[in-house]
């Protein structure tokens, strides 16, 4: 890989993209490649939520939602906190929300045959 490949959008000095960056990014994108996990992350992009709310939002069975949330938590993409007896989930950071939003924007362009743009 060329040393001239830089991380985009950083306000600090541009850092080269390493094999480690690519490996971690590929793992994140793999987590987003599942329809249920993508729906969960999309809903969490609107704010934190408990399992009941997330189950209603993504239309999957509660056990499936719980399993997917566990995977997302283990991958470090979501955080949890206790609120009484409830467990409340949240996105770990805004980059993930923007990544999900951009994936859905690309889908919108594909579905509506909109022209490409930057």
């Amino acid at each position: 890989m060329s040393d001239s490949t830089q991380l985009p959008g950083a306000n600090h000095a541009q850092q080269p993209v390493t094999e480690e960056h690519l490996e971690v990014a590929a793992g994140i994108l793999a987590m987003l490649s599942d329809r249920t996990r993508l729906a969960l992350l999309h809903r969490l992009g609107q704010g934190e939520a408990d399992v009941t709310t997330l189950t209603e939002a993504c239309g999957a069975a509660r056990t499936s939602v719980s399993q997917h949330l566990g995977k997302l938590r283990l991958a470090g993409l979501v955080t949890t906190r206790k609120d009484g007896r409830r467990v409340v989930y949240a996105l770990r950071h805004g980059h993930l929300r923007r990544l999900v939003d951009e994936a859905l924007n690309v889908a919108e362009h594909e579905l509506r045959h909109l022209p490409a743009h930057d």
Side-chain angles (χ1 to χ4, degrees):
M1 167 171 279
S2 167
D3 285 339
S4 65
T5 305
Q6 304 292 311
L7 291 175
N11 290 333
H12 52 81
Q14 295 293 311
Q15 300 295 313
V17 175
T18 65
E19 290 299 320
E20 185 177 22
H21 286 104
L22 293 171
E23 192 67 33
V24 170
I28 292 167
L29 292 172
M31 292 301 292
L32 270 65
S33 70
D34 179 89
R35 184 241 175 258
T36 300
R37 288 193 295 267
L38 186 59
L40 291 169
L41 293 171
H42 178 257
R43 171 53 189 84
L44 289 171
Q46 300 167 19
E48 58 183 24
D50 63 9
V51 175
T52 301
T53 303
L54 293 168
T55 298
E56 292 168 1
C58 75
R62 186 178 182 93
T63 55
S64 176
V65 168
S66 292
Q67 289 175 355
H68 285 294
L69 287 168
K71 289 178 183 181
L72 291 168
R73 188 177 47 76
L74 287 173
L77 302 182
V78 299
T79 60
T80 60
R81 69 175 177 81
K82 290 288 247 177
D83 182 19
R85 295 178 60 187
R86 295 181 324 139
V87 176
V88 179
Y89 291 83
L91 290 183
R92 187 167 184 106
H93 49 73
H95 290 293
L96 188 55
R97 179 187 47 77
R98 290 187 295 276
L99 181 59
V100 170
D101 287 348
E102 283 301 319
L104 293 172
N105 285 334
V106 171
E108 178 72 6
H109 276 72
E110 291 294 317
L111 292 170
R112 295 185 53 208
H113 306 287
L114 298 172
H117 62 83
D118 240 358

